[in-house]
Every structure is written in structure tokens, then in C-alpha cells.
Amino acid sequence: MATVTTQAFFGFMGVSSALVFANLGAAYGTAKSGVGISSMGVIKPELIMKSIIPVVMAGVLGIYGLIVAVILVQKINDNDYSFYDGYKHLASGLCCGLSSLAAGMAIGIVGDAGVRANAQQDKIFVGMILILIFAEALGLYGLIIALILSQ
Amino acid sequence: MELLTFNVDDGYAEALIRGMRMSFIRKEEYDALKDCASLGDAKMLLEETDYLPFLQNEPSPCQPNVIRARMKEKLAKEFEHMKSNAAPQLFNFLEKVSHKYMIDNVVNMIEIIKNKDINRKRQAQPDPLGYFRGIEGILRFESDDIAELYQIVLIDTPVGDYFQRLLEDIIKAGAMQNRSIEDVHRQLAEITPEVLRISLKKMWLEDLFDLAKQLNGISKEILEDLIKFEADCMTIQIIYNSISNEELNKPAARETDRKALCPNVGYLYPEYEAQLSRAFDITTLRAAVESFPLYIEMLRNVADPANEEEMNDPSRKTLDDIMYEIGIKKYSLAFDQQFHYGCFYAYLKLKEQEIRNTVWLCEMVSMQLNRQDKAWTKYEKLIPFSCLREP
């Protein structure tokens, strides 16, 4: 059997892609909605705390990536790691990472537009939250499959 | 991905614009201006705003038209400053925007030449926003043949392109109807300054729209919305004004002449173009725009041009005022997002509105109208950024 370094490469790529892409998504979501909150907060300061919700939801995506990365790191070991496991863990990391990236982009754009629209018309708040929840669900699907794959 | 790349080229320009946004005259200052007893007081009040360096050298009984000229000068200087700090893409955009003022200047001068009005010639002051080199040469032109004027003077100017396209259009239309060259020349000579202005502005707006389509995502989204709104306002205004104008309202002219004046961009184009070109009075016009709540609102309370009484009723707002009110709200909201060029365009429009408001109030003050008159409160809905304040 080949040394464990080749299959470990795939495993560790899974770990890093989970974390890196999820954080990219979370960063985009936080940045974009943060810009919206800043513009809106100047005029309507009382709505700022309510409008932090998109930022929190984007942050959660980073946590998804962290969870999957930690779980995968525990599974990769030095001497008894097959190619099958390596590929499986790569798939797991990519699932979680890229889904969270997608969810983060959606949350960023919707959060920005929603928060600014909420300042004009407060009945939009409920609609914005519903849309954000559906966007967050995409990241959740990625997390579920990543956890299943990591076993 | 404008978040990452916009500030590389245009960060400084946007920061400038955000700083200049603070210089708008606020509601309290307008109210104080309203309570002024004389023009001297009004001038002192304006000197406390951002306009101090431009007004302080004027002798004290300062007439409203002088105030307007100085305020426009300030706006032109700010615009120049923005342009000189702009990267190429933003500079092209700002140049395109300033073509509108150049068109206004050139058409005004053509009007003066046509009317052979010597007095106005001496006093003619072109709008400083639309200044370009060679603008003085137009007034020295002797004959009033547009084609000649174009070939000798305008061809080198930035607006020469629009005149060229206008001439080509007219010649092509003449060729399609098999008219002779003399006929086409005569038509060129007879073109009224109003029709000339509207046709050139239509071409400019379409060009600006094309330019906006090539910008980055957020700029494109915001500018397309603002330009489409402006185009629709232009269309509705043309049809509204033509209701009382026999020439344009005949069924034959509606399809050709009137439709040729309406811009080919906007929310109303192309789906509602056919219906609009058949509109001949206020009810058909309202029916044509009924899919757009904004335009229904706009036309709801406006006076019927066919009805003399309603037109002269001072309690009704004119279509112009209603369009300004809605426009102010849209332009104020353009400052909401970051990393786009919409705020530059909106800044110009809002500053123009501020100049209109201030000059209106100064004229009211100088005419010493009865304080109860409704005209005093006209500015209250037209204050830039007022829609963003607490109700």
C-alpha cells in the first residue's frame, strides 16, 4: 500500500476547502450587508440592531465550515487511511464549503437590499427574514451532507 | 464584485461626493429663508451656507438671477473638480452627463440667432455646467441655416455628434419620402428650437443609457432605473404638452412626429409605445400608463390640458412639480448604496433642485407676496433628502 501521504492530501484538501470557502461566503455576506446597515443606520439608528440579523446569519455559515473542518481533521490519521476515505473527506469538505459560499453570497445581496428597504417600509422586515432563512438553508443542506460523508 | 475593485479607481471620487452631500441646504435653512424680509437678509442667510465664497463679492441688493448664476457657477466648479479627480471610466460618464447642458446652451444660442435678438445676444450667459471651448463662436454665426452652422462651428464640438445624427435622420426620412434636397433644407431651416432641443436630448438620453449598461453591476442597476424614469417623464411630458397643441395631436402626426420625439428607453418602452402613441387626451394617457402605480399617482391629480379652468387653478400642482417631487425621492435614495456612479448623477440633479428652490424663495421674498399665499410652501416637498428624515 502506498504511503498515506497521497490520500491524506485529498483529506486535508477537504478540510481546508470546508473552512476557506465557508469563510469566503461569510465574509461576503457580512461585508455586503454591513455596507447596507451603515448607509441605513445614519438615517434610522433605531433599526440598526434589528438589521444585524443578516450579519449573524452570514457568521453562522463560517461556523458550519469550522464544524466540518474539525470533524474531518479528527478522522484523518497517519497510518490507516484509505484512498476511499480521502476522496470521501474531500467531497465532504467541498460540499460544505461551496454551499456555504453560495449561501453567503445570497445572504449578502438580500441582506443589503432588505436592510435598506426596511428603512423605507417596515413591513418588509418579515419578508426579508423569510428570504434570509431560505438562503441560509442552502448552507445547512451542505452541512448535513458533509456530516454524513464524514462518517 | 464591486466591493473589491471599485475603490481602486473611484474610491476618492466617491469619498468626495459623499463629503459634498453634506453641503445641501437643510429644511431649517429653507424655513429661515422663507421668513426673510428682504433680499439683503436672504443673501446674508445664503452666505452662512456653503455658498459663501461665491456670494460674498456681490453687492448687497442681490437679484435672484444673480444668485442663480453664482449658485450654478459653484455647481460647475464642483463638477469640474470631480471630473479632474476621476479615473477614465468615471470621467467618460461625467462628460456624457455634461453633454446635456451643452445641448441646452447650444439650442439657446440657436434660438437667439434665429430670433435675431441683439439684446439677448449681449446678455446671453451659457450655463457654466455646459461650457466647452468654442462656445463663444456659435453666437458670432451670421446665418440661421442649421446645416451650415453644424458644418462650420459645431462639427468640432462635443455636441457635434448629436447634430450629425439629427441631420442624418432628417435626410434619411426625407429620402424615404422622396423629398427633394431643397425640401429637406427647408425643413432643416424651419425646425423650431423646442423640437430641436427635445430631439437632441432624446439622443443624449439614449446614449447615456447605453453608457450605463456598460458599467459595473450596481452602477448599471441604479443608473438604468434613474435614466428610465427620466425617459418616461420626458415621454409623458411630451404627450401631456401635445394634448393642447393642435399640430402634434392630429392622428397623422401622433404616429410620426410625436413618437419621434419620445425616447427609445424607459419602462414604458417598448411595450406601451403603441398605446402611448394613440393617446390623445388625459384619459387615454392615464389608461396607457395604468400598469405603473408611480405614473398613475403622477397623473392622478394633474390638470387636464383640455380644460382651461383646471389648468389655471392655482391649487393644482403642475406636472413639472409632481415629476420633481417623485424625482427628488428617487435621487435621494440613490445615495443609499455604495460603489456606484448613480450618486454622481443624483448629486447633480439634487443640486439643480436646490438651486431652483432657493431662487424660487428669493423671488418670493423680492416680490413680497402675502405670506398666506400657497406659493410659499411649494418648496417643502422638494427638499433634497427630505424623504429620508423622520416623518
Side-chain angles (χ1 to χ4, degrees):
Chain A
M1 179 160 148
T3 58
V4 84
T5 44
T6 322
Q7 51 270 52
F9 169 74
F10 292 107
F12 283 121
M13 280 311 285
V15 170
S16 49
S17 58
L19 192 60
V20 166
F21 290 122
N23 279 345
L24 275 175
Y28 183 81
T30 310
K32 200 87 162 61
S33 17
V35 169
I37 296 173
S38 311
S39 324
M40 177 282 288
V42 176
I43 317 290
K44 290 249 168 88
E46 64 276 3
L47 289 178
I48 293 181
M49 278 304 141
K50 266 170 94 174
S51 309
I52 292 280
I53 292 180
V55 176
V56 170
M57 293 181 114
V60 164
L61 297 171
I63 295 184
Y64 291 169
L66 179 72
I67 294 173
V68 168
V70 165
I71 291 181
L72 288 180
V73 161
Q74 313 291 6
K75 302 266 173 174
I76 305 176
N77 57 34
D78 241 21
N79 42 10
D80 173 14
Y81 193 58
S82 64
F83 272 97
Y84 176 77
D85 283 334
Y87 300 146
K88 197 166 71 164
H89 293 164
L90 174 65
S92 163
L94 283 175
C95 263
C96 176
L98 293 175
S99 300
S100 298
L101 176 64
M105 300 189 88
I107 289 179
I109 298 178
V110 169
D112 180 31
V115 143
R116 279 181 293 107
N118 189 33
Q120 306 289 323
Q121 163 71 278
D122 27 281
K123 300 206 179 128
I124 284 193
F125 186 68
V126 175
M128 172 182 90
I129 296 294
L130 279 173
I131 298 175
L132 284 172
I133 289 174
F134 275 102
E136 180 86 30
L138 302 173
L140 192 63
Y141 302 156
L143 177 72
I144 294 172
I145 299 298
L147 288 177
I148 294 176
L149 278 175
S150 67
Q151 306 305 338
Chain B
M1 275 286 117
E2 304 82 36
L3 287 182
L4 296 175
T5 52
F6 187 85
N7 278 344
V8 176
D9 275 338
D10 301 314
Y12 183 64
E14 180 162 9
L16 272 182
I17 265 282
R18 301 254 164 209
M20 293 204 265
R21 181 198 192 272
M22 285 288 108
S23 73
F24 277 89
I25 296 181
R26 297 183 303 276
K27 180 165 196 311
E28 302 81 42
E29 290 165 332
Y30 278 122
D31 287 340
L33 195 58
K34 184 174 101 162
D35 292 329
C36 277
S38 73
L39 276 180
D41 285 347
K43 177 172 177 265
M44 272 202 312
L45 219 99
L46 284 177
E47 281 179 358
E48 286 171 26
T49 65
D50 227 33
Y51 289 101
L52 172 63
F54 290 82
L55 286 176
Q56 66 187 9
N57 296 329
E58 296 294 322
S60 188
C62 199
Q63 296 306 316
N65 58 342
V66 173
I67 293 183
R68 175 191 281 131
R70 292 288 89 79
M71 289 174 100
K72 280 210 177 252
E73 213 179 280
K74 173 176 190 263
L75 181 56
K77 278 229 158 73
E78 285 175 350
F79 198 59
E80 270 307 307
H81 185 65
M82 270 195 272
K83 274 205 275 196
S84 55
N85 281 308
Q89 196 182 35
L90 180 59
F91 181 80
N92 283 341
F93 177 71
L94 293 177
E95 263 296 298
K96 203 56 160 178
V97 169
S98 63
H99 282 176
K100 172 183 172 196
Y101 303 100
M102 294 182 192
I103 290 177
D104 264 332
N105 282 345
V106 170
V107 173
N108 285 343
M109 293 187 176
I110 291 180
E111 201 172 346
I112 294 179
I113 294 175
K114 266 195 188 298
N115 295 338
K116 302 198 180 350
D117 195 339
I118 311 283
N119 283 337
R120 270 184 77 185
K121 218 182 219 187
R122 260 187 257 129
Q123 292 173 359
Q125 263 192 345
D127 186 341
L129 276 167
Y131 180 79
F132 56 92
R133 250 181 333 161
I135 199 170
E136 305 89 359
I138 301 181
L139 269 183
R140 290 198 288 267
F141 196 73
E142 284 309 318
S143 100
D144 58 0
D145 183 2
I146 292 193
E148 250 185 79
L149 175 66
Y150 163 69
Q151 273 178 332
I152 298 181
V153 179
L154 294 174
I155 197 163
D156 288 324
T157 63
V159 293
D161 186 41
Y162 298 114
F163 275 90
Q164 178 183 11
R165 277 148 61 186
L166 182 69
L167 290 174
E168 281 173 5
D169 279 343
I170 296 185
I171 292 177
K172 211 170 13 160
M176 288 205 339
Q177 296 169 1
N178 286 329
R179 282 195 247 159
S180 65
I181 285 288
E182 293 84 34
D183 234 359
V184 173
H185 266 268
R186 193 175 45 85
Q187 192 183 15
L188 277 177
E190 286 176 356
I191 204 171
T192 60
E194 266 320 300
V195 169
L196 184 64
R197 192 194 303 267
I198 297 180
S199 315
L200 292 174
K201 283 232 176 113
K202 165 192 150 157
M203 276 191 251
W204 164 78
L205 200 58
E206 290 166 8
D207 263 6
L208 190 65
F209 188 73
D210 284 337
L211 186 61
K213 280 203 285 204
Q214 293 163 4
L215 297 173
N216 75 15
I218 309 182
S219 294
K220 181 168 141 175
E221 189 189 317
I222 297 184
L223 282 171
E224 279 192 351
D225 178 47
L226 293 180
I227 296 175
K228 280 183 179 179
F229 171 72
E230 195 172 335
D232 287 337
C233 283
M234 219 171 130
T235 307
I236 294 179
Q237 192 108 25
I238 289 172
I239 298 180
Y240 181 82
N241 290 340
S242 75
I243 291 179
S244 47
N245 177 343
E246 283 302 318
E247 270 289 310
L248 280 179
N249 213 13
K250 318 197 276 272
R254 268 183 250 148
E255 283 289 326
T256 53
D257 294 336
R258 195 173 77 180
K259 191 155 117 166
L261 292 175
C262 297
N264 291 340
V265 294
Y267 292 111
L268 290 170
Y269 176 88
E271 294 92 25
Y272 296 92
E273 199 186 358
Q275 210 179 351
L276 280 169
S277 61
R278 285 195 291 272
F280 58 90
D281 73 353
I282 193 79
T283 5
T284 41
L285 180 57
R286 284 182 181 143
V289 300
E290 67 187 0
S291 310
F292 298 93
L294 193 61
Y295 304 145
I296 295 179
E297 207 36 60
M298 219 195 284
L299 290 173
R300 187 201 303 274
N301 289 329
V302 87
D304 183 355
N307 184 338
E308 270 294 320
E309 240 180 63
E310 282 184 20
M311 285 297 269
N312 292 334
D313 182 0
S315 68
R316 279 182 184 263
K317 295 197 191 159
T318 59
L319 188 60
D320 269 342
D321 282 336
I322 297 178
M323 283 181 176
Y324 285 150
E325 270 176 41
I326 299 182
I328 295 297
K329 181 155 188 221
K330 271 191 181 281
Y331 297 127
S332 307
L333 286 175
F335 275 85
D336 248 5
Q337 297 197 61
Q338 224 186 327
F339 311 127
H340 63 96
Y341 293 163
C343 47
F344 295 92
Y345 191 59
Y347 178 82
L348 265 181
K349 293 283 189 185
L350 290 172
K351 268 292 180 187
E352 280 190 318
Q353 183 62 42
E354 178 178 282
I355 294 178
R356 276 195 285 265
N357 287 351
T358 318
V359 172
W360 172 266
L361 278 174
C362 288
E363 282 176 352
M364 293 278 116
V365 163
S366 80
M367 286 201 295
Q368 295 291 333
L369 272 188
N370 180 351
R371 295 280 153 164
Q372 308 301 333
D373 194 296
K374 269 201 89 182
W376 283 103
T377 53
K378 183 169 116 153
Y379 71 92
E380 281 173 6
K381 289 265 173 69
L382 293 170
I383 301 178
F385 304 112
S386 60
C387 63
L388 302 175
R389 302 254 176 277
E390 297 297 304

